[in-house]
Amino acid sequence: MIKPLDHILNVPVYKPGKPVEEVKRELGLSEIIKLASNENPFGCSLFVKKAVEREAVNINRYPDGGAFYLRKELSSFLEIDENQLIFGNGSNDILDMIARAFLDKNSEVLMFQYSFIVYKIVSLLQGATVKEIPVECDFSRNLEKLLESITDKTKVIFIDNPCNPTGFANKKEEFDEFIKNVPDNVLVVIDEAYFEYAKEHGVPDGLNYVNPINPKIPRKNVIVTRTFSKAYGLAGLRIGYAIAQKEIIEILERVRQPFNVNRLAQVAAIEALKDQKFVEFSVKENEKGKEFLYEEFEKRGIHFVPTYGNFIMFKVDDAKMVYENLLRNGVVIRPAFGLDNYLRVSIGTMEENKKFIEKLELLGFKCKI
Ligand code: PMP
């Protein structure tokens, strides 16, 4: 049997939320609610669907590797130079490009404990050393601690803001201070996959560190990654993007696969950007779902972590039992990676949220007040 490189064997395997089709097949169920992957439960813009249909006749041709039209649309939407953007096959693709461009076995990567697992995976694949900074007992993250942990070897810092799975986010003021103090030879990756859900709640807009409006924050090595998978509802098409100084984008372009973003994803993203009403609707409904679930958790004495995203992490005594029982009852949620007593539920439509609570009730989580 052929052997892989030694360091590959130490890399954790990414375990996605179970696909609906798989649960149906394995458990013989016909009705499934998937609240496992922080997708948009309201679908996507109708304009996206029409554009994808129109584009389908061209799928025998390679896509535009430079994403000309999408680049124009996004650059005017964000009010940022076209050469400060790069697109990925999901934002995961960009995280991978960052690791391939900047990390090797001599590099050290910093991330908080319980961050998005992909940072660890892409860094370890490069043979880099990953240092996880402990979070506080309420899952908050101390950015000063992160600063103090930087060494001569630190090359990249990955921060998901908001964090998946905990839902915690650092606020603008502390983030400004952190960015100001990061040494120039360290690259900070701010992963804003849930930005649209969080932006009204005092979190920083990473664009300000890339294209500083506030001159007190000097230009730094910052890459902001975002995605169309969440509030825009395009998870199945795989498209994300990053914003950085053009010199950093030029480096990433060297490791980007030639046609990494497909035709359907490109036209879909253009239409999705144009339909901000759909995004606003999704964010508003998410707020309602969040309040509903908070209340239901509180009534049942279930501890949860307040979230800035479209998912909530909550605590139970036996997470495995609860996860498996919900699954058998047709509700797919997600274990929180590395946190034995916690589960993560994506906020769904109100109907889905109610079903989830009904099924929890069946497992004995009754109202206490
Ligand atoms: N970052 C975070 C924090 C995420 O939760 C996710 C999706 N689970 C991603 C990045 C990757 O998303 P995508 O590749 O779909 O853009």
Side-chain angles (χ1 to χ4, degrees):
M1 175 68 182
I2 191 155
K3 275 182 107 189
L5 300 173
D6 280 346
H7 73 278
I8 301 289
L9 297 172
N10 297 324
V11 179
V13 176
Y14 183 82
K15 290 200 191 93
K18 266 184 179 288
V20 171
E21 296 78 5
E22 185 180 320
V23 181
K24 282 185 178 170
R25 222 171 33 238
E26 285 181 358
L27 298 176
L29 296 170
S30 55
E31 292 256 329
I32 300 287
I33 297 175
K34 187 184 176 208
L35 299 173
S37 304
N38 307 340
E39 295 145 335
N40 189 327
F42 302 100
C44 66
S45 160
L46 285 178
F47 299 107
V48 164
K49 291 182 187 161
K50 286 188 188 140
V52 167
E53 264 172 39
R54 279 197 304 273
E55 187 62 21
V57 295
N58 295 322
I59 59 171
N60 56 317
R61 303 288 177 196
Y62 285 108
D64 172 5
F68 180 85
Y69 293 106
L70 173 58
R71 185 178 298 277
K72 278 214 168 317
E73 192 66 39
L74 187 61
S75 116
S76 90
F77 178 71
L78 297 176
E79 297 178 359
I80 200 137
D81 274 4
E82 287 180 25
N83 57 16
Q84 288 192 259
L85 297 171
I86 189 165
F87 296 92
N89 185 26
S91 54
N92 274 337
D93 185 25
I94 298 173
L95 298 172
D96 186 54
M97 288 182 217
I98 294 168
R100 281 190 289 121
F102 294 100
L103 299 176
D104 67 11
K105 64 179 179 10
N106 301 314
S107 330
E108 188 178 84
V109 170
L110 297 185
M111 58 189 261
F112 280 111
Q113 186 186 20
Y114 313 130
S115 295
F116 185 44
I117 184 77
V118 167
Y119 312 148
K120 202 181 206 170
I121 294 176
V122 296
S123 304
L124 293 177
L125 283 173
Q126 293 304 114
T129 306
V130 175
K131 253 208 216 160
E132 290 182 78
I133 315 305
V135 299
E136 311 306 305
C137 45
D138 59 355
F139 297 103
S140 63
R141 301 160 149 201
N142 184 335
L143 291 171
E144 281 173 24
K145 251 194 211 168
L146 185 56
L147 263 185
E148 286 161 12
S149 308
I150 295 173
T151 69
D152 291 346
K153 283 188 161 178
T154 308
K155 209 59 203 283
V156 175
I157 300 177
F158 287 103
I159 311 176
D160 39 358
N161 204 50
C163 162
N164 172 16
T166 68
F168 177 81
N170 288 98
K171 293 294 176 64
K172 182 178 181 309
E173 293 68 31
E174 49 179 338
F175 227 102
D176 284 358
E177 204 49 38
F178 168 73
I179 294 289
K180 248 192 259 174
N181 290 302
V182 171
D184 287 338
N185 59 347
V186 173
L187 179 67
V188 183
V189 181
I190 310 173
D191 177 346
E192 296 186 340
Y194 302 95
F195 178 70
E196 293 79 9
Y197 295 106
K199 68 178 182 183
E200 301 299 333
H201 299 280
V203 303
D205 176 343
L207 282 188
N208 293 342
Y209 306 128
V210 174
N211 216 7
I213 301 166
N214 176 358
K216 285 196 195 125
I217 303 168
R219 282 160 53 117
K220 292 273 178 168
N221 294 322
V222 172
I223 303 180
V224 179
T225 60
R226 291 192 186 162
T227 184
F228 285 96
S229 299
K230 309 297 176 185
Y232 287 96
L234 306 185
L237 282 175
R238 313 301 301 124
I239 176 158
Y241 61 94
I243 315 130
Q245 302 300 334
K246 84 175 188 350
E247 293 78 9
I248 295 177
I249 296 292
E250 278 166 11
I251 297 169
L252 294 181
E253 279 293 347
R254 291 173 183 272
V255 293
R256 183 176 67 78
Q257 294 283 335
F259 303 106
N260 62 329
V261 181
N262 71 71
R263 276 181 175 275
L264 302 183
Q266 290 189 31
V267 296
I270 291 172
E271 294 307 315
L273 275 174
K274 287 187 197 159
D275 191 357
Q276 287 299 317
K277 280 222 167 72
F278 174 78
V279 178
E280 283 160 28
F281 164 79
S282 303
V283 171
K284 241 191 222 151
E285 291 301 309
N286 186 67
E287 285 299 310
K288 288 186 205 159
K290 186 196 311 187
E291 289 310 317
F292 170 79
L293 289 173
Y294 281 1
E295 240 174 67
E296 294 297 322
F297 282 150
E298 270 161 14
K299 279 196 249 171
R300 290 168 169 74
I302 298 174
H303 172 74
F304 61 90
V305 184
T307 186
Y308 287 81
N310 63 344
F311 54 90
I312 306 177
M313 195 171 86
F314 62 100
K315 190 173 183 199
V316 289
D317 287 340
D318 191 344
K320 192 166 180 287
M321 182 280 283
V322 174
Y323 168 76
E324 283 171 1
N325 271 293
L326 284 174
L327 198 61
R328 262 183 254 125
N329 279 291
V331 179
V332 194
I333 62 166
R334 184 89 186 264
F337 196 91
L339 282 152
D340 288 346
N341 295 323
Y342 284 85
L343 293 166
R344 191 197 70 191
V345 62
S346 304
I347 299 169
T349 62
M350 203 46 100
E351 197 185 330
E352 290 171 333
N353 298 330
K354 285 183 179 161
K355 273 252 166 71
F356 161 66
I357 293 294
E358 263 170 41
K359 302 295 178 188
L360 265 187
E361 179 117 7
L362 287 181
L363 297 182
F365 293 95
K366 305 263 187 231
C367 272
K368 292 188 174 152
I369 42 172

